[in-house]
């Protein structure tokens, strides 16, 4: 059940970002709502970039650890 929930989150995340983008760009959207949508997009982008950086650093550490263990 948990894996299915995660899969559904992945599926709907693209639509969620599209919705935020549409709200942000819609001329009829109140300015405060546009700001909230833009802030949400920026915050989630920042978090995603941080996670990607951590994943890359973790992978490098794992590879370095494997190389060190092979030399022993």
């Amino acid at each position: 059940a948990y894996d299915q929930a995660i899969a559904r989150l992945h599926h709907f995340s693209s639509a969620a970002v599209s919705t935020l983008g549409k709200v942000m760009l819609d001329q009829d959207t109140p300015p405060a709502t546009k700001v909230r949508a833009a802030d949400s997009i920026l915050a989630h982008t920042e978090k995603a970039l941080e996670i990607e950086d951590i994943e890359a650093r973790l992978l490098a550490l794992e590879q370095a650890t494997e190389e060190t263990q092979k030399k022993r």
Side-chain angles (χ1 to χ4, degrees):
Y2 182 75
D3 290 338
Q4 289 176 338
I6 297 297
R8 291 188 69 188
L9 285 171
H10 283 282
H11 175 75
F12 288 119
S13 64
S14 179
V17 172
S18 294
T19 299
L20 286 170
K22 288 177 185 176
V23 168
M24 184 180 68
L25 298 174
D26 188 339
Q27 293 180 0
D28 295 328
T29 300
T33 304
K34 287 183 177 194
V35 169
R36 178 71 177 115
D39 184 59
S40 181
I41 291 169
L42 291 172
H44 286 86
T45 299
E46 179 183 22
K47 187 171 184 172
L49 291 172
E50 289 173 357
I51 291 170
E52 285 180 356
D53 179 57
I54 290 169
E55 286 176 341
R57 294 168 65 190
L58 179 59
L59 179 61
L61 287 171
E62 289 172 341
Q63 290 172 343
T65 300
E66 286 178 17
E67 290 299 318
T68 300
Q69 290 177 350
K70 286 180 184 177
K71 292 178 182 178
R72 289 181 181 183

